[in-house]
PDB file of all heavy atoms in Angstrom:
ATOM      1  N   LEU A   1      -0.196  -1.053  11.722  1.00 98.00           N
ATOM      2  CA  LEU A   1       0.478   0.197  11.736  1.00 98.00           C
ATOM      3  C   LEU A   1       0.204   1.065  12.924  1.00 98.00           C
ATOM      4  O   LEU A   1      -1.087   1.120  13.433  1.00 98.00           O
ATOM      5  CB  LEU A   1       0.146   0.982  10.521  1.00 98.00           C
ATOM      6  CG  LEU A   1       0.690   0.504   9.177  1.00 98.00           C
ATOM      7  CD1 LEU A   1       0.209   1.360   7.995  1.00 98.00           C
ATOM      8  CD2 LEU A   1       2.286   0.516   9.187  1.00 98.00           C
ATOM      9  N   ARG A   2       1.185   1.861  13.411  1.00 98.00           N
ATOM     10  CA  ARG A   2       0.803   2.998  14.333  1.00 98.00           C
ATOM     11  C   ARG A   2       0.249   4.175  13.534  1.00 98.00           C
ATOM     12  O   ARG A   2       0.280   4.085  12.238  1.00 98.00           O
ATOM     13  CB  ARG A   2       2.089   3.446  14.953  1.00 98.00           C
ATOM     14  CG  ARG A   2       3.206   3.951  13.940  1.00 98.00           C
ATOM     15  CD  ARG A   2       4.198   4.793  14.659  1.00 98.00           C
ATOM     16  NE  ARG A   2       5.228   5.185  13.662  1.00 98.00           N
ATOM     17  CZ  ARG A   2       5.263   6.157  12.762  1.00 98.00           C
ATOM     18  NH1 ARG A   2       4.114   6.819  12.512  1.00 98.00           N
ATOM     19  NH2 ARG A   2       6.338   6.423  12.074  1.00 98.00           N
ATOM     20  N   PRO A   3      -0.346   5.174  14.134  1.00 97.00           N
ATOM     21  CA  PRO A   3      -0.762   6.393  13.351  1.00 97.00           C
ATOM     22  C   PRO A   3       0.396   6.958  12.464  1.00 97.00           C
ATOM     23  O   PRO A   3       1.540   6.986  12.926  1.00 97.00           O
ATOM     24  CB  PRO A   3      -1.217   7.390  14.446  1.00 97.00           C
ATOM     25  CG  PRO A   3      -1.596   6.448  15.583  1.00 97.00           C
ATOM     26  CD  PRO A   3      -0.597   5.259  15.573  1.00 97.00           C
ATOM     27  N   GLU A   4       0.095   7.267  11.264  1.00 97.00           N
ATOM     28  CA  GLU A   4       1.072   7.791  10.215  1.00 97.00           C
ATOM     29  C   GLU A   4       2.113   6.829   9.875  1.00 97.00           C
ATOM     30  O   GLU A   4       3.162   7.189   9.333  1.00 97.00           O
ATOM     31  CB  GLU A   4       1.570   9.118  10.768  1.00 97.00           C
ATOM     32  CG  GLU A   4       0.625  10.164  11.002  1.00 97.00           C
ATOM     33  CD  GLU A   4       1.245  11.598  11.203  1.00 97.00           C
ATOM     34  OE1 GLU A   4       2.368  11.697  11.616  1.00 97.00           O
ATOM     35  OE2 GLU A   4       0.462  12.574  10.940  1.00 97.00           O
ATOM     36  N   GLY A   5       1.819   5.519  10.067  1.00 97.00           N
ATOM     37  CA  GLY A   5       2.682   4.458   9.517  1.00 97.00           C
ATOM     38  C   GLY A   5       2.548   4.209   8.153  1.00 97.00           C
ATOM     39  O   GLY A   5       1.544   4.682   7.442  1.00 97.00           O
ATOM     40  N   THR A   6       3.324   3.290   7.488  1.00 98.00           N
ATOM     41  CA  THR A   6       3.369   3.072   6.098  1.00 98.00           C
ATOM     42  C   THR A   6       3.413   1.637   5.776  1.00 98.00           C
ATOM     43  O   THR A   6       4.222   0.819   6.363  1.00 98.00           O
ATOM     44  CB  THR A   6       4.550   3.743   5.440  1.00 98.00           C
ATOM     45  OG1 THR A   6       4.490   5.216   5.542  1.00 98.00           O
ATOM     46  CG2 THR A   6       4.664   3.428   3.863  1.00 98.00           C
ATOM     47  N   VAL A   7       2.533   1.140   4.866  1.00 98.00           N
ATOM     48  CA  VAL A   7       2.725  -0.110   4.356  1.00 98.00           C
ATOM     49  C   VAL A   7       3.371  -0.053   3.017  1.00 98.00           C
ATOM     50  O   VAL A   7       2.943   0.783   2.194  1.00 98.00           O
ATOM     51  CB  VAL A   7       1.254  -0.837   4.136  1.00 98.00           C
ATOM     52  CG1 VAL A   7       1.423  -2.076   3.283  1.00 98.00           C
ATOM     53  CG2 VAL A   7       0.625  -1.153   5.474  1.00 98.00           C
ATOM     54  N   VAL A   8       4.443  -0.749   2.800  1.00 98.00           N
ATOM     55  CA  VAL A   8       5.122  -0.935   1.521  1.00 98.00           C
ATOM     56  C   VAL A   8       4.522  -2.196   0.789  1.00 98.00           C
ATOM     57  O   VAL A   8       4.789  -3.379   1.323  1.00 98.00           O
ATOM     58  CB  VAL A   8       6.656  -0.975   1.700  1.00 98.00           C
ATOM     59  CG1 VAL A   8       7.237  -1.178   0.230  1.00 98.00           C
ATOM     60  CG2 VAL A   8       7.132   0.188   2.413  1.00 98.00           C
ATOM     61  N   GLU A   9       3.713  -2.000  -0.227  1.00 97.00           N
ATOM     62  CA  GLU A   9       3.054  -3.111  -0.961  1.00 97.00           C
ATOM     63  C   GLU A   9       4.003  -3.673  -1.984  1.00 97.00           C
ATOM     64  O   GLU A   9       4.385  -3.089  -3.039  1.00 97.00           O
ATOM     65  CB  GLU A   9       1.756  -2.507  -1.566  1.00 97.00           C
ATOM     66  CG  GLU A   9       1.030  -3.669  -2.441  1.00 97.00           C
ATOM     67  CD  GLU A   9       0.633  -4.891  -1.586  1.00 97.00           C
ATOM     68  OE1 GLU A   9       1.597  -5.764  -1.539  1.00 97.00           O
ATOM     69  OE2 GLU A   9      -0.431  -4.989  -1.003  1.00 97.00           O
ATOM     70  N   MET A  10       4.372  -4.926  -1.777  1.00 96.00           N
ATOM     71  CA  MET A  10       5.383  -5.631  -2.715  1.00 96.00           C
ATOM     72  C   MET A  10       4.711  -6.681  -3.441  1.00 96.00           C
ATOM     73  O   MET A  10       5.282  -7.260  -4.303  1.00 96.00           O
ATOM     74  CB  MET A  10       6.567  -6.169  -1.924  1.00 96.00           C
ATOM     75  CG  MET A  10       7.339  -5.088  -1.054  1.00 96.00           C
ATOM     76  SD  MET A  10       8.778  -5.748  -0.191  1.00 96.00           S
ATOM     77  CE  MET A  10       9.761  -6.213  -1.643  1.00 96.00           C
ATOM     78  N   SER A  11       3.434  -7.101  -3.160  1.00 92.00           N
ATOM     79  CA  SER A  11       2.729  -8.216  -3.824  1.00 92.00           C
ATOM     80  C   SER A  11       2.359  -7.830  -5.279  1.00 92.00           C
ATOM     81  O   SER A  11       2.084  -6.789  -5.601  1.00 92.00           O
ATOM     82  CB  SER A  11       1.435  -8.530  -2.954  1.00 92.00           C
ATOM     83  OG  SER A  11       1.820  -8.786  -1.613  1.00 92.00           O
ATOM     84  N   TRP A  12       2.346  -8.885  -5.966  1.00 83.00           N
ATOM     85  CA  TRP A  12       1.962  -8.794  -7.343  1.00 83.00           C
ATOM     86  C   TRP A  12       0.662  -9.746  -7.478  1.00 83.00           C
ATOM     87  O   TRP A  12       0.847 -10.991  -7.317  1.00 83.00           O
ATOM     88  CB  TRP A  12       3.079  -9.324  -8.410  1.00 83.00           C
ATOM     89  CG  TRP A  12       2.588  -9.495  -9.730  1.00 83.00           C
ATOM     90  CD1 TRP A  12       2.691 -10.579 -10.525  1.00 83.00           C
ATOM     91  CD2 TRP A  12       2.017  -8.446 -10.552  1.00 83.00           C
ATOM     92  NE1 TRP A  12       2.306 -10.499 -11.771  1.00 83.00           N
ATOM     93  CE2 TRP A  12       1.822  -9.178 -11.891  1.00 83.00           C
ATOM     94  CE3 TRP A  12       1.648  -7.144 -10.555  1.00 83.00           C
ATOM     95  CZ2 TRP A  12       1.187  -8.537 -12.903  1.00 83.00           C
ATOM     96  CZ3 TRP A  12       0.980  -6.532 -11.508  1.00 83.00           C
ATOM     97  CH2 TRP A  12       0.824  -7.164 -12.770  1.00 83.00           C
ATOM     98  N   TYR A  13      -0.491  -9.164  -7.815  1.00 83.00           N
ATOM     99  CA  TYR A  13      -1.705  -9.881  -7.756  1.00 83.00           C
ATOM    100  C   TYR A  13      -2.148 -10.466  -9.121  1.00 83.00           C
ATOM    101  O   TYR A  13      -3.130 -11.169  -9.209  1.00 83.00           O
ATOM    102  CB  TYR A  13      -2.737  -8.982  -7.202  1.00 83.00           C
ATOM    103  CG  TYR A  13      -2.563  -8.584  -5.645  1.00 83.00           C
ATOM    104  CD1 TYR A  13      -1.936  -7.331  -5.448  1.00 83.00           C
ATOM    105  CD2 TYR A  13      -2.824  -9.284  -4.623  1.00 83.00           C
ATOM    106  CE1 TYR A  13      -1.722  -6.911  -4.313  1.00 83.00           C
ATOM    107  CE2 TYR A  13      -2.652  -9.038  -3.401  1.00 83.00           C
ATOM    108  CZ  TYR A  13      -2.026  -7.797  -3.090  1.00 83.00           C
ATOM    109  OH  TYR A  13      -1.824  -7.356  -1.854  1.00 83.00           O
ATOM    110  N   GLY A  14      -1.411 -10.126 -10.179  1.00 76.00           N
ATOM    111  CA  GLY A  14      -1.774 -10.664 -11.430  1.00 76.00           C
ATOM    112  C   GLY A  14      -3.108 -10.058 -11.943  1.00 76.00           C
ATOM    113  O   GLY A  14      -3.299  -8.864 -11.833  1.00 76.00           O
ATOM    114  N   ASP A  15      -4.071 -10.959 -12.250  1.00 75.00           N
ATOM    115  CA  ASP A  15      -5.325 -10.450 -12.717  1.00 75.00           C
ATOM    116  C   ASP A  15      -6.381 -10.446 -11.734  1.00 75.00           C
ATOM    117  O   ASP A  15      -7.614 -10.254 -11.875  1.00 75.00           O
ATOM    118  CB  ASP A  15      -5.887 -11.292 -13.927  1.00 75.00           C
ATOM    119  CG  ASP A  15      -5.830 -12.742 -13.582  1.00 75.00           C
ATOM    120  OD1 ASP A  15      -5.639 -13.161 -12.393  1.00 75.00           O
ATOM    121  OD2 ASP A  15      -6.237 -13.597 -14.412  1.00 75.00           O
ATOM    122  N   ARG A  16      -6.000 -10.604 -10.389  1.00 81.00           N
ATOM    123  CA  ARG A  16      -6.983 -10.630  -9.306  1.00 81.00           C
ATOM    124  C   ARG A  16      -7.265  -9.116  -8.788  1.00 81.00           C
ATOM    125  O   ARG A  16      -6.248  -8.338  -8.713  1.00 81.00           O
ATOM    126  CB  ARG A  16      -6.541 -11.327  -8.094  1.00 81.00           C
ATOM    127  CG  ARG A  16      -6.529 -12.878  -8.317  1.00 81.00           C
ATOM    128  CD  ARG A  16      -5.869 -13.643  -7.125  1.00 81.00           C
ATOM    129  NE  ARG A  16      -4.461 -13.251  -6.918  1.00 81.00           N
ATOM    130  CZ  ARG A  16      -3.947 -13.195  -5.810  1.00 81.00           C
ATOM    131  NH1 ARG A  16      -4.486 -13.294  -4.702  1.00 81.00           N
ATOM    132  NH2 ARG A  16      -2.568 -12.927  -5.714  1.00 81.00           N
ATOM    133  N   GLU A  17      -8.491  -8.771  -8.469  1.00 87.00           N
ATOM    134  CA  GLU A  17      -8.858  -7.538  -7.928  1.00 87.00           C
ATOM    135  C   GLU A  17      -8.745  -7.658  -6.392  1.00 87.00           C
ATOM    136  O   GLU A  17      -9.180  -8.716  -5.826  1.00 87.00           O
ATOM    137  CB  GLU A  17     -10.251  -7.137  -8.303  1.00 87.00           C
ATOM    138  CG  GLU A  17     -10.305  -6.790  -9.829  1.00 87.00           C
ATOM    139  CD  GLU A  17     -11.584  -6.166 -10.175  1.00 87.00           C
ATOM    140  OE1 GLU A  17     -12.485  -5.974  -9.189  1.00 87.00           O
ATOM    141  OE2 GLU A  17     -11.839  -5.854 -11.356  1.00 87.00           O
ATOM    142  N   VAL A  18      -8.235  -6.650  -5.710  1.00 90.00           N
ATOM    143  CA  VAL A  18      -8.072  -6.633  -4.338  1.00 90.00           C
ATOM    144  C   VAL A  18      -8.777  -5.398  -3.662  1.00 90.00           C
ATOM    145  O   VAL A  18      -8.578  -4.293  -4.126  1.00 90.00           O
ATOM    146  CB  VAL A  18      -6.575  -6.572  -4.037  1.00 90.00           C
ATOM    147  CG1 VAL A  18      -6.352  -6.561  -2.437  1.00 90.00           C
ATOM    148  CG2 VAL A  18      -5.890  -7.840  -4.539  1.00 90.00           C
ATOM    149  N   SER A  19      -9.546  -5.674  -2.658  1.00 90.00           N
ATOM    150  CA  SER A  19     -10.225  -4.607  -1.949  1.00 90.00           C
ATOM    151  C   SER A  19      -9.319  -3.990  -0.770  1.00 90.00           C
ATOM    152  O   SER A  19      -8.757  -4.814  -0.057  1.00 90.00           O
ATOM    153  CB  SER A  19     -11.505  -5.006  -1.336  1.00 90.00           C
ATOM    154  OG  SER A  19     -12.497  -5.451  -2.383  1.00 90.00           O
ATOM    155  N   VAL A  20      -9.240  -2.677  -0.720  1.00 89.00           N
ATOM    156  CA  VAL A  20      -8.384  -2.009   0.348  1.00 89.00           C
ATOM    157  C   VAL A  20      -9.204  -1.418   1.266  1.00 89.00           C
ATOM    158  O   VAL A  20     -10.089  -0.486   0.824  1.00 89.00           O
ATOM    159  CB  VAL A  20      -7.312  -1.152  -0.318  1.00 89.00           C
ATOM    160  CG1 VAL A  20      -6.408  -0.525   0.763  1.00 89.00           C
ATOM    161  CG2 VAL A  20      -6.524  -1.898  -1.370  1.00 89.00           C
ATOM    162  N   PRO A  21      -9.204  -1.603   2.522  1.00 88.00           N
ATOM    163  CA  PRO A  21     -10.063  -0.941   3.496  1.00 88.00           C
ATOM    164  C   PRO A  21      -9.644   0.491   3.825  1.00 88.00           C
ATOM    165  O   PRO A  21      -8.766   0.722   4.661  1.00 88.00           O
ATOM    166  CB  PRO A  21      -9.939  -1.835   4.845  1.00 88.00           C
ATOM    167  CG  PRO A  21      -8.518  -2.462   4.647  1.00 88.00           C
ATOM    168  CD  PRO A  21      -8.335  -2.690   3.248  1.00 88.00           C
ATOM    169  N   LEU A  22     -10.218   1.361   3.062  1.00 90.00           N
ATOM    170  CA  LEU A  22      -9.879   2.807   3.274  1.00 90.00           C
ATOM    171  C   LEU A  22     -10.883   3.579   4.203  1.00 90.00           C
ATOM    172  O   LEU A  22     -10.792   4.771   4.247  1.00 90.00           O
ATOM    173  CB  LEU A  22      -9.737   3.498   1.898  1.00 90.00           C
ATOM    174  CG  LEU A  22      -8.805   2.971   0.875  1.00 90.00           C
ATOM    175  CD1 LEU A  22      -8.756   3.695  -0.395  1.00 90.00           C
ATOM    176  CD2 LEU A  22      -7.317   2.850   1.483  1.00 90.00           C
ATOM    177  N   GLY A  23     -11.703   2.823   4.792  1.00 86.00           N
ATOM    178  CA  GLY A  23     -12.594   3.471   5.783  1.00 86.00           C
ATOM    179  C   GLY A  23     -11.973   3.361   7.201  1.00 86.00           C
ATOM    180  O   GLY A  23     -10.787   3.263   7.365  1.00 86.00           O
ATOM    181  N   ALA A  24     -12.869   3.232   8.192  1.00 83.00           N
ATOM    182  CA  ALA A  24     -12.532   2.994   9.535  1.00 83.00           C
ATOM    183  C   ALA A  24     -11.467   4.045   9.962  1.00 83.00           C
ATOM    184  O   ALA A  24     -11.596   5.255   9.731  1.00 83.00           O
ATOM    185  CB  ALA A  24     -12.053   1.626   9.764  1.00 83.00           C
ATOM    186  N   GLY A  25     -10.280   3.529  10.455  1.00 87.00           N
ATOM    187  CA  GLY A  25      -9.147   4.495  10.877  1.00 87.00           C
ATOM    188  C   GLY A  25      -8.149   4.773   9.790  1.00 87.00           C
ATOM    189  O   GLY A  25      -7.103   5.378  10.254  1.00 87.00           O
ATOM    190  N   PHE A  26      -8.351   4.486   8.584  1.00 93.00           N
ATOM    191  CA  PHE A  26      -7.416   4.741   7.544  1.00 93.00           C
ATOM    192  C   PHE A  26      -7.067   6.256   7.468  1.00 93.00           C
ATOM    193  O   PHE A  26      -5.828   6.614   7.571  1.00 93.00           O
ATOM    194  CB  PHE A  26      -7.696   4.276   6.239  1.00 93.00           C
ATOM    195  CG  PHE A  26      -6.699   4.462   5.085  1.00 93.00           C
ATOM    196  CD1 PHE A  26      -5.699   3.692   4.914  1.00 93.00           C
ATOM    197  CD2 PHE A  26      -6.833   5.638   4.261  1.00 93.00           C
ATOM    198  CE1 PHE A  26      -4.653   3.814   4.014  1.00 93.00           C
ATOM    199  CE2 PHE A  26      -5.872   5.772   3.262  1.00 93.00           C
ATOM    200  CZ  PHE A  26      -4.849   4.866   3.061  1.00 93.00           C
ATOM    201  N   HIS A  27      -8.123   7.127   7.326  1.00 95.00           N
ATOM    202  CA  HIS A  27      -7.826   8.612   7.208  1.00 95.00           C
ATOM    203  C   HIS A  27      -7.456   9.158   8.585  1.00 95.00           C
ATOM    204  O   HIS A  27      -6.552  10.091   8.579  1.00 95.00           O
ATOM    205  CB  HIS A  27      -9.095   9.256   6.581  1.00 95.00           C
ATOM    206  CG  HIS A  27      -9.109   8.984   5.048  1.00 95.00           C
ATOM    207  ND1 HIS A  27      -8.368   9.487   4.232  1.00 95.00           N
ATOM    208  CD2 HIS A  27      -9.962   8.173   4.445  1.00 95.00           C
ATOM    209  CE1 HIS A  27      -8.580   9.108   2.970  1.00 95.00           C
ATOM    210  NE2 HIS A  27      -9.673   8.226   3.152  1.00 95.00           N
ATOM    211  N   SER A  28      -8.195   8.795   9.569  1.00 94.00           N
ATOM    212  CA  SER A  28      -7.859   9.545  10.841  1.00 94.00           C
ATOM    213  C   SER A  28      -6.518   9.068  11.392  1.00 94.00           C
ATOM    214  O   SER A  28      -5.895   9.853  12.072  1.00 94.00           O
ATOM    215  CB  SER A  28      -8.916   9.028  11.922  1.00 94.00           C
ATOM    216  OG  SER A  28      -8.895   7.551  12.148  1.00 94.00           O
ATOM    217  N   GLY A  29      -6.062   7.888  11.085  1.00 95.00           N
ATOM    218  CA  GLY A  29      -4.737   7.476  11.350  1.00 95.00           C
ATOM    219  C   GLY A  29      -3.611   7.898  10.404  1.00 95.00           C
ATOM    220  O   GLY A  29      -2.436   7.793  10.622  1.00 95.00           O
ATOM    221  N   ARG A  30      -4.000   8.666   9.336  1.00 96.00           N
ATOM    222  CA  ARG A  30      -3.097   9.232   8.281  1.00 96.00           C
ATOM    223  C   ARG A  30      -2.156   8.051   7.733  1.00 96.00           C
ATOM    224  O   ARG A  30      -0.961   8.277   7.819  1.00 96.00           O
ATOM    225  CB  ARG A  30      -2.385  10.362   8.739  1.00 96.00           C
ATOM    226  CG  ARG A  30      -3.309  11.638   9.246  1.00 96.00           C
ATOM    227  CD  ARG A  30      -2.512  12.767   9.710  1.00 96.00           C
ATOM    228  NE  ARG A  30      -1.416  13.237   8.754  1.00 96.00           N
ATOM    229  CZ  ARG A  30      -1.680  14.042   7.709  1.00 96.00           C
ATOM    230  NH1 ARG A  30      -2.896  14.530   7.489  1.00 96.00           N
ATOM    231  NH2 ARG A  30      -0.654  14.406   7.068  1.00 96.00           N
ATOM    232  N   LEU A  31      -2.720   6.953   7.511  1.00 96.00           N
ATOM    233  CA  LEU A  31      -1.870   5.856   7.088  1.00 96.00           C
ATOM    234  C   LEU A  31      -1.457   6.014   5.611  1.00 96.00           C
ATOM    235  O   LEU A  31      -2.157   6.651   4.827  1.00 96.00           O
ATOM    236  CB  LEU A  31      -2.641   4.428   7.271  1.00 96.00           C
ATOM    237  CG  LEU A  31      -3.251   4.207   8.707  1.00 96.00           C
ATOM    238  CD1 LEU A  31      -3.872   2.800   8.740  1.00 96.00           C
ATOM    239  CD2 LEU A  31      -2.067   4.310   9.717  1.00 96.00           C
ATOM    240  N   ALA A  32      -0.437   5.219   5.125  1.00 97.00           N
ATOM    241  CA  ALA A  32      -0.019   5.426   3.848  1.00 97.00           C
ATOM    242  C   ALA A  32       0.239   4.043   3.290  1.00 97.00           C
ATOM    243  O   ALA A  32       0.721   3.084   3.976  1.00 97.00           O
ATOM    244  CB  ALA A  32       1.289   6.170   3.843  1.00 97.00           C
ATOM    245  N   ILE A  33      -0.046   3.901   1.984  1.00 96.00           N
ATOM    246  CA  ILE A  33       0.339   2.632   1.270  1.00 96.00           C
ATOM    247  C   ILE A  33       1.240   2.947   0.113  1.00 96.00           C
ATOM    248  O   ILE A  33       0.881   3.859  -0.717  1.00 96.00           O
ATOM    249  CB  ILE A  33      -0.957   1.877   0.689  1.00 96.00           C
ATOM    250  CG1 ILE A  33      -1.896   1.565   1.768  1.00 96.00           C
ATOM    251  CG2 ILE A  33      -0.517   0.603  -0.037  1.00 96.00           C
ATOM    252  CD1 ILE A  33      -3.219   1.035   1.344  1.00 96.00           C
ATOM    253  N   ARG A  34       2.384   2.438  -0.005  1.00 96.00           N
ATOM    254  CA  ARG A  34       3.390   2.753  -0.999  1.00 96.00           C
ATOM    255  C   ARG A  34       3.792   1.524  -1.857  1.00 96.00           C
ATOM    256  O   ARG A  34       4.071   0.484  -1.297  1.00 96.00           O
ATOM    257  CB  ARG A  34       4.629   3.324  -0.344  1.00 96.00           C
ATOM    258  CG  ARG A  34       5.695   3.674  -1.368  1.00 96.00           C
ATOM    259  CD  ARG A  34       6.861   4.525  -0.679  1.00 96.00           C
ATOM    260  NE  ARG A  34       7.748   4.973  -1.707  1.00 96.00           N
ATOM    261  CZ  ARG A  34       8.613   5.935  -1.551  1.00 96.00           C
ATOM    262  NH1 ARG A  34       8.834   6.480  -0.270  1.00 96.00           N
ATOM    263  NH2 ARG A  34       9.475   6.307  -2.502  1.00 96.00           N
ATOM    264  N   ALA A  35       3.576   1.676  -3.087  1.00 95.00           N
ATOM    265  CA  ALA A  35       3.945   0.551  -4.011  1.00 95.00           C
ATOM    266  C   ALA A  35       5.500   0.401  -4.071  1.00 95.00           C
ATOM    267  O   ALA A  35       6.300   1.498  -4.204  1.00 95.00           O
ATOM    268  CB  ALA A  35       3.366   0.701  -5.433  1.00 95.00           C
ATOM    269  N   SER A  36       6.025  -0.866  -4.263  1.00 95.00           N
ATOM    270  CA  SER A  36       7.397  -0.960  -4.485  1.00 95.00           C
ATOM    271  C   SER A  36       7.539  -2.118  -5.486  1.00 95.00           C
ATOM    272  O   SER A  36       6.928  -3.193  -5.463  1.00 95.00           O
ATOM    273  CB  SER A  36       8.191  -1.410  -3.266  1.00 95.00           C
ATOM    274  OG  SER A  36       9.531  -1.656  -3.592  1.00 95.00           O
ATOM    275  N   GLN A  37       8.222  -1.917  -6.608  1.00 89.00           N
ATOM    276  CA  GLN A  37       8.331  -2.857  -7.668  1.00 89.00           C
ATOM    277  C   GLN A  37       9.688  -2.767  -8.287  1.00 89.00           C
ATOM    278  O   GLN A  37      10.225  -1.739  -8.505  1.00 89.00           O
ATOM    279  CB  GLN A  37       7.247  -2.549  -8.686  1.00 89.00           C
ATOM    280  CG  GLN A  37       6.874  -3.789  -9.655  1.00 89.00           C
ATOM    281  CD  GLN A  37       7.743  -4.003 -10.762  1.00 89.00           C
ATOM    282  OE1 GLN A  37       8.410  -3.047 -11.221  1.00 89.00           O
ATOM    283  NE2 GLN A  37       7.763  -5.277 -11.422  1.00 89.00           N
ATOM    284  N   VAL A  38      10.328  -3.890  -8.663  1.00 90.00           N
ATOM    285  CA  VAL A  38      11.714  -3.998  -8.929  1.00 90.00           C
ATOM    286  C   VAL A  38      12.001  -3.551 -10.327  1.00 90.00           C
ATOM    287  O   VAL A  38      13.142  -3.512 -10.847  1.00 90.00           O
ATOM    288  CB  VAL A  38      12.281  -5.471  -8.635  1.00 90.00           C
ATOM    289  CG1 VAL A  38      11.724  -6.379  -9.731  1.00 90.00           C
ATOM    290  CG2 VAL A  38      13.749  -5.522  -8.525  1.00 90.00           C
ATOM    291  N   GLY A  39      10.926  -3.399 -11.194  1.00 88.00           N
ATOM    292  CA  GLY A  39      11.155  -3.041 -12.571  1.00 88.00           C
ATOM    293  C   GLY A  39      11.947  -1.792 -12.945  1.00 88.00           C
ATOM    294  O   GLY A  39      12.426  -1.612 -13.964  1.00 88.00           O
ATOM    295  N   MET A  40      11.925  -0.914 -11.890  1.00 92.00           N
ATOM    296  CA  MET A  40      12.623   0.209 -11.946  1.00 92.00           C
ATOM    297  C   MET A  40      13.430   0.478 -10.695  1.00 92.00           C
ATOM    298  O   MET A  40      13.025   0.124  -9.606  1.00 92.00           O
ATOM    299  CB  MET A  40      11.772   1.498 -12.207  1.00 92.00           C
ATOM    300  CG  MET A  40      11.019   1.500 -13.528  1.00 92.00           C
ATOM    301  SD  MET A  40       9.931   3.002 -13.698  1.00 92.00           S
ATOM    302  CE  MET A  40      11.229   4.214 -14.126  1.00 92.00           C
ATOM    303  N   VAL A  41      14.562   1.080 -10.833  1.00 96.00           N
ATOM    304  CA  VAL A  41      15.450   1.413  -9.585  1.00 96.00           C
ATOM    305  C   VAL A  41      14.576   2.433  -8.778  1.00 96.00           C
ATOM    306  O   VAL A  41      13.989   3.432  -9.402  1.00 96.00           O
ATOM    307  CB  VAL A  41      16.732   1.980  -9.987  1.00 96.00           C
ATOM    308  CG1 VAL A  41      17.534   2.390  -8.725  1.00 96.00           C
ATOM    309  CG2 VAL A  41      17.576   0.938 -10.709  1.00 96.00           C
ATOM    310  N   ALA A  42      14.544   2.254  -7.439  1.00 96.00           N
ATOM    311  CA  ALA A  42      13.723   3.130  -6.670  1.00 96.00           C
ATOM    312  C   ALA A  42      14.170   4.540  -6.824  1.00 96.00           C
ATOM    313  O   ALA A  42      15.339   4.916  -7.054  1.00 96.00           O
ATOM    314  CB  ALA A  42      14.011   2.728  -5.139  1.00 96.00           C
ATOM    315  N   PRO A  43      13.217   5.509  -6.811  1.00 95.00           N
ATOM    316  CA  PRO A  43      13.544   6.898  -7.009  1.00 95.00           C
ATOM    317  C   PRO A  43      14.623   7.466  -6.122  1.00 95.00           C
ATOM    318  O   PRO A  43      15.403   8.320  -6.523  1.00 95.00           O
ATOM    319  CB  PRO A  43      12.155   7.663  -6.723  1.00 95.00           C
ATOM    320  CG  PRO A  43      11.155   6.624  -7.006  1.00 95.00           C
ATOM    321  CD  PRO A  43      11.771   5.325  -6.519  1.00 95.00           C
TER     322      PRO A  43
END
């Protein structure tokens, strides 16, 4: 991502735990992670 870019998370991990790197440049870059799931029509 560029600064202030967005990741749209579409993966379904089931029962697996996933670590997300929220250190380093995540906050200084003002990055965003947005969930998307087909179970509901997008807002």
Side-chain angles (χ1 to χ4, degrees):
L1 290 176
R2 62 159 172 81
E4 300 192 333
T6 297
V7 167
V8 180
E9 176 57 274
M10 303 182 68
S11 299
W12 169 239
Y13 298 95
D15 57 0
R16 288 178 293 146
E17 293 189 2
V18 175
S19 297
V20 182
L22 301 182
F26 182 80
H27 286 285
S28 62
R30 296 178 57 85
L31 305 181
I33 302 174
R34 179 169 187 166
S36 181
Q37 205 273 340
V38 74
M40 298 182 71
V41 175

